[in-house]
Each structure stands twice: as C-alpha cells, then as structure tokens.
Amino acid sequence: QVQLVESGGGLVQAGGSLRLSCAASGNIFRINDMGWYRQAPGKQRELVAVVFSGGNTNYADSVKGRFTISRDNAKNTVYLQMNSLAPEDSAVYYCNAYILTTLRSSYNSWGQGTQVTVSS
C-alpha cells in the first residue's frame, strides 16, 4: 500500500540540469534510508546516491560533485539534483526507500522509474 511517485525526469542537453523528486505515500510508519538508482540499457542497476535517516549521504563515484541527494522527512520526499549532465547519465532512474509500515513490518520499496535522457 506504499507508493513512490517520481517526477522531474525528461530530456536535457549535455551540461544541463534536472531535479528528480520522489514522494512516498501510503501506510508509512517510518522511512529509513532513501536513495536513487539507475539502469542504462545493457547495464546492471547501480546505486546513484543514498541519504540515510540521519542525513548522511553516499554517492557513486561517477556522480560525485555533480549530483546532490536530499530529503524532506516531513514530506516523505527525496530529491536528486543533477547538474552537469552528460550522455553517460542517461538511464532509467528509480527511487528507492526502506519503509516501515509498522514496527515489525518493513519493505524495500521502489518507484516506477523515470527516464532521464541526456543529448549531446
């Protein structure tokens, strides 16, 4: 009954920026870590960035210095600000959240995926 709704993807030129957002809704007791993954054609899904409940973050080496992940706990929302985009960043981006619906029930939930295409 938990939904992750993503927005902000699209087509941009190299060097441009996009801001992805993902809002979790439904039967949520608590959200621990939230993150963004991406999967390009022929590639495995990879972690792009994650923000933990305490605010600490981790980034893939390929996006460090260009992407920024943040979260708004009051809105159950995670953001990914993507700057200096390159064609290599083109992929389907997936929102992920580790959600507790109760103290004893948790789910590793995924968004539907949003396409990010960077043209040269």
Side-chain angles (χ1 to χ4, degrees), residues 84-116:
S84 301
L85 284 164
E88 296 77 37
D89 297 313
S90 296
V92 178
Y93 283 71
Y94 297 90
C95 175
N96 172 256
Y98 188 76
I99 298 174
L100 279 68
T101 56
T102 71
L103 283 173
R104 300 191 299 170
S105 181
S106 62
Y107 297 89
N108 192 28
S109 301
W110 294 88
Q112 78 283 359
T114 184
Q115 179 70 51
V116 172

Short mmCIF file of all heavy atoms in Angstrom, two decimals, residues 84-116:
data_model
loop_
_atom_site.label_atom_id
_atom_site.label_comp_id
_atom_site.label_asym_id
_atom_site.label_seq_id
_atom_site.Cartn_x
_atom_site.Cartn_y
_atom_site.Cartn_z
N SER A 84 25.39 19.36 -14.48
CA SER A 84 26.45 18.99 -15.43
C SER A 84 26.20 17.62 -16.03
O SER A 84 27.09 16.77 -16.10
CB SER A 84 27.82 19.04 -14.75
OG SER A 84 28.10 20.32 -14.24
N LEU A 85 24.99 17.41 -16.47
CA LEU A 85 24.61 16.11 -17.00
C LEU A 85 25.36 15.79 -18.29
O LEU A 85 25.63 16.67 -19.11
CB LEU A 85 23.11 16.06 -17.24
CG LEU A 85 22.26 15.91 -15.97
CD1 LEU A 85 20.81 16.26 -16.25
CD2 LEU A 85 22.37 14.49 -15.45
N ALA A 86 25.68 14.53 -18.43
CA ALA A 86 26.37 14.02 -19.60
C ALA A 86 25.58 12.87 -20.19
O ALA A 86 24.76 12.26 -19.51
CB ALA A 86 27.78 13.56 -19.22
N PRO A 87 25.81 12.55 -21.45
CA PRO A 87 25.09 11.43 -22.05
C PRO A 87 25.23 10.13 -21.28
O PRO A 87 24.32 9.30 -21.29
CB PRO A 87 25.73 11.32 -23.45
CG PRO A 87 26.16 12.70 -23.77
CD PRO A 87 26.63 13.27 -22.45
N GLU A 88 26.35 9.95 -20.60
CA GLU A 88 26.56 8.75 -19.80
C GLU A 88 25.59 8.64 -18.62
O GLU A 88 25.47 7.57 -18.03
CB GLU A 88 28.00 8.69 -19.29
CG GLU A 88 29.06 8.59 -20.38
CD GLU A 88 29.31 9.92 -21.07
OE1 GLU A 88 29.27 10.96 -20.39
OE2 GLU A 88 29.54 9.92 -22.30
N ASP A 89 24.95 9.74 -18.28
CA ASP A 89 23.97 9.72 -17.21
C ASP A 89 22.60 9.24 -17.68
O ASP A 89 21.70 9.06 -16.85
CB ASP A 89 23.83 11.11 -16.59
CG ASP A 89 25.10 11.59 -15.93
OD1 ASP A 89 25.71 10.81 -15.17
OD2 ASP A 89 25.50 12.75 -16.18
N SER A 90 22.43 9.07 -18.95
CA SER A 90 21.14 8.62 -19.47
C SER A 90 20.81 7.24 -18.94
O SER A 90 21.62 6.31 -19.06
CB SER A 90 21.15 8.60 -21.00
OG SER A 90 21.32 9.90 -21.53
N ALA A 91 19.65 7.11 -18.36
CA ALA A 91 19.23 5.86 -17.77
C ALA A 91 17.81 6.02 -17.25
O ALA A 91 17.27 7.13 -17.22
CB ALA A 91 20.17 5.45 -16.62
N VAL A 92 17.24 4.91 -16.85
CA VAL A 92 16.02 4.96 -16.07
C VAL A 92 16.41 5.09 -14.61
O VAL A 92 17.18 4.28 -14.10
CB VAL A 92 15.15 3.71 -16.29
CG1 VAL A 92 13.90 3.77 -15.42
CG2 VAL A 92 14.77 3.58 -17.76
N TYR A 93 15.90 6.10 -13.98
CA TYR A 93 16.21 6.36 -12.58
C TYR A 93 15.08 5.88 -11.70
O TYR A 93 13.91 6.17 -11.95
CB TYR A 93 16.46 7.85 -12.36
CG TYR A 93 17.81 8.31 -12.85
CD1 TYR A 93 18.08 8.38 -14.21
CD2 TYR A 93 18.82 8.65 -11.95
CE1 TYR A 93 19.33 8.77 -14.67
CE2 TYR A 93 20.06 9.05 -12.40
CZ TYR A 93 20.31 9.11 -13.76
OH TYR A 93 21.55 9.52 -14.21
N TYR A 94 15.44 5.14 -10.68
CA TYR A 94 14.47 4.56 -9.77
C TYR A 94 14.65 5.10 -8.36
O TYR A 94 15.76 5.15 -7.84
CB TYR A 94 14.62 3.04 -9.72
CG TYR A 94 14.36 2.33 -11.02
CD1 TYR A 94 15.40 2.09 -11.92
CD2 TYR A 94 13.08 1.89 -11.35
CE1 TYR A 94 15.16 1.44 -13.12
CE2 TYR A 94 12.84 1.24 -12.54
CZ TYR A 94 13.89 1.01 -13.42
OH TYR A 94 13.65 0.35 -14.60
N CYS A 95 13.56 5.49 -7.79
CA CYS A 95 13.55 5.88 -6.39
C CYS A 95 13.43 4.63 -5.53
O CYS A 95 12.71 3.69 -5.87
CB CYS A 95 12.38 6.83 -6.13
SG CYS A 95 12.15 7.31 -4.41
N ASN A 96 14.12 4.63 -4.43
CA ASN A 96 14.09 3.50 -3.51
C ASN A 96 13.97 4.02 -2.08
O ASN A 96 14.57 5.03 -1.73
CB ASN A 96 15.35 2.65 -3.66
CG ASN A 96 15.46 1.57 -2.60
OD1 ASN A 96 16.24 1.69 -1.65
ND2 ASN A 96 14.69 0.51 -2.77
N ALA A 97 13.20 3.31 -1.30
CA ALA A 97 13.05 3.69 0.10
C ALA A 97 12.82 2.45 0.94
O ALA A 97 12.10 1.54 0.54
CB ALA A 97 11.89 4.67 0.29
N TYR A 98 13.46 2.44 2.09
CA TYR A 98 13.24 1.38 3.06
C TYR A 98 12.20 1.89 4.03
O TYR A 98 12.46 2.78 4.84
CB TYR A 98 14.54 1.03 3.76
CG TYR A 98 14.44 -0.18 4.65
CD1 TYR A 98 14.41 -1.45 4.11
CD2 TYR A 98 14.39 -0.04 6.03
CE1 TYR A 98 14.32 -2.57 4.92
CE2 TYR A 98 14.30 -1.15 6.85
CZ TYR A 98 14.26 -2.42 6.29
OH TYR A 98 14.17 -3.52 7.11
N ILE A 99 11.02 1.32 3.93
CA ILE A 99 9.85 1.84 4.61
C ILE A 99 9.35 0.86 5.65
O ILE A 99 9.19 -0.32 5.39
CB ILE A 99 8.72 2.15 3.60
CG1 ILE A 99 9.18 3.21 2.61
CG2 ILE A 99 7.46 2.60 4.33
CD1 ILE A 99 8.21 3.48 1.50
N LEU A 100 9.12 1.38 6.83
CA LEU A 100 8.48 0.62 7.89
C LEU A 100 7.00 0.98 7.91
O LEU A 100 6.64 2.14 8.11
CB LEU A 100 9.11 0.91 9.25
CG LEU A 100 10.41 0.20 9.63
CD1 LEU A 100 11.57 0.67 8.76
CD2 LEU A 100 10.72 0.44 11.10
N THR A 101 6.15 0.00 7.68
CA THR A 101 4.72 0.23 7.79
C THR A 101 4.25 0.05 9.22
O THR A 101 3.25 0.65 9.63
CB THR A 101 3.94 -0.70 6.86
OG1 THR A 101 4.29 -2.07 7.15
CG2 THR A 101 4.29 -0.40 5.41
N THR A 102 4.92 -0.79 9.96
CA THR A 102 4.75 -0.94 11.39
C THR A 102 6.12 -1.18 11.99
O THR A 102 7.12 -1.27 11.27
CB THR A 102 3.81 -2.11 11.76
OG1 THR A 102 4.46 -3.36 11.47
CG2 THR A 102 2.51 -2.03 10.98
N LEU A 103 6.17 -1.31 13.30
CA LEU A 103 7.45 -1.61 13.94
C LEU A 103 7.99 -2.96 13.53
O LEU A 103 9.20 -3.21 13.63
CB LEU A 103 7.30 -1.55 15.45
CG LEU A 103 7.25 -0.17 16.08
CD1 LEU A 103 6.93 -0.27 17.57
CD2 LEU A 103 8.57 0.56 15.89
N ARG A 104 7.14 -3.84 13.07
CA ARG A 104 7.55 -5.20 12.74
C ARG A 104 7.46 -5.53 11.26
O ARG A 104 7.76 -6.66 10.88
CB ARG A 104 6.71 -6.21 13.52
CG ARG A 104 6.82 -6.07 15.03
CD ARG A 104 6.18 -7.26 15.73
NE ARG A 104 4.76 -7.38 15.41
CZ ARG A 104 4.02 -8.43 15.73
NH1 ARG A 104 4.57 -9.46 16.37
NH2 ARG A 104 2.74 -8.46 15.40
N SER A 105 7.07 -4.58 10.46
CA SER A 105 6.91 -4.84 9.04
C SER A 105 7.61 -3.76 8.24
O SER A 105 7.35 -2.57 8.43
CB SER A 105 5.42 -4.89 8.67
OG SER A 105 5.25 -5.17 7.30
N SER A 106 8.48 -4.16 7.35
CA SER A 106 9.23 -3.22 6.54
C SER A 106 9.28 -3.69 5.09
O SER A 106 9.16 -4.89 4.81
CB SER A 106 10.64 -3.03 7.08
OG SER A 106 11.36 -4.25 7.04
N TYR A 107 9.49 -2.74 4.22
CA TYR A 107 9.54 -3.03 2.80
C TYR A 107 10.62 -2.20 2.15
O TYR A 107 10.80 -1.03 2.49
CB TYR A 107 8.20 -2.73 2.12
CG TYR A 107 7.05 -3.56 2.62
CD1 TYR A 107 6.29 -3.13 3.70
CD2 TYR A 107 6.74 -4.76 2.01
CE1 TYR A 107 5.24 -3.89 4.16
CE2 TYR A 107 5.68 -5.53 2.48
CZ TYR A 107 4.94 -5.10 3.54
OH TYR A 107 3.89 -5.85 4.00
N ASN A 108 11.31 -2.82 1.23
CA ASN A 108 12.23 -2.11 0.38
C ASN A 108 11.47 -1.75 -0.89
O ASN A 108 11.30 -2.57 -1.79
CB ASN A 108 13.45 -2.97 0.06
CG ASN A 108 14.57 -2.18 -0.59
OD1 ASN A 108 14.71 -0.98 -0.38
ND2 ASN A 108 15.39 -2.86 -1.38
N SER A 109 10.98 -0.53 -0.94
CA SER A 109 10.04 -0.12 -1.98
C SER A 109 10.74 0.61 -3.11
O SER A 109 11.75 1.29 -2.91
CB SER A 109 8.96 0.79 -1.37
OG SER A 109 8.26 0.12 -0.34
N TRP A 110 10.17 0.47 -4.28
CA TRP A 110 10.73 1.07 -5.49
C TRP A 110 9.69 1.89 -6.22
O TRP A 110 8.51 1.55 -6.25
CB TRP A 110 11.25 -0.01 -6.43
CG TRP A 110 12.42 -0.76 -5.90
CD1 TRP A 110 12.41 -1.87 -5.12
CD2 TRP A 110 13.80 -0.45 -6.12
NE1 TRP A 110 13.68 -2.27 -4.82
CE2 TRP A 110 14.56 -1.42 -5.43
CE3 TRP A 110 14.46 0.55 -6.84
CZ2 TRP A 110 15.96 -1.41 -5.44
CZ3 TRP A 110 15.85 0.56 -6.84
CH2 TRP A 110 16.58 -0.42 -6.15
N GLY A 111 10.15 2.96 -6.82
CA GLY A 111 9.30 3.72 -7.70
C GLY A 111 9.20 3.05 -9.05
O GLY A 111 9.84 2.02 -9.33
N GLN A 112 8.40 3.63 -9.91
CA GLN A 112 8.16 3.04 -11.22
C GLN A 112 9.30 3.27 -12.20
O GLN A 112 9.37 2.60 -13.23
CB GLN A 112 6.86 3.60 -11.81
CG GLN A 112 6.97 5.00 -12.41
CD GLN A 112 7.01 6.11 -11.38
OE1 GLN A 112 6.95 5.87 -10.17
NE2 GLN A 112 7.11 7.34 -11.86
N GLY A 113 10.17 4.18 -11.89
CA GLY A 113 11.25 4.54 -12.77
C GLY A 113 10.90 5.71 -13.65
O GLY A 113 9.77 5.82 -14.14
N THR A 114 11.84 6.59 -13.85
CA THR A 114 11.64 7.73 -14.72
C THR A 114 12.84 7.86 -15.65
O THR A 114 13.98 7.73 -15.22
CB THR A 114 11.41 9.02 -13.91
OG1 THR A 114 11.14 10.11 -14.80
CG2 THR A 114 12.62 9.37 -13.06
N GLN A 115 12.57 8.11 -16.90
CA GLN A 115 13.61 8.16 -17.90
C GLN A 115 14.32 9.50 -17.88
O GLN A 115 13.68 10.56 -17.89
CB GLN A 115 13.03 7.92 -19.30
CG GLN A 115 14.05 7.99 -20.43
CD GLN A 115 15.02 6.83 -20.41
OE1 GLN A 115 14.60 5.67 -20.35
NE2 GLN A 115 16.32 7.13 -20.45
N VAL A 116 15.62 9.45 -17.84
CA VAL A 116 16.46 10.62 -18.00
C VAL A 116 17.32 10.41 -19.23
O VAL A 116 18.08 9.44 -19.32
CB VAL A 116 17.36 10.86 -16.77
CG1 VAL A 116 18.36 11.98 -17.05
CG2 VAL A 116 16.51 11.20 -15.55
#
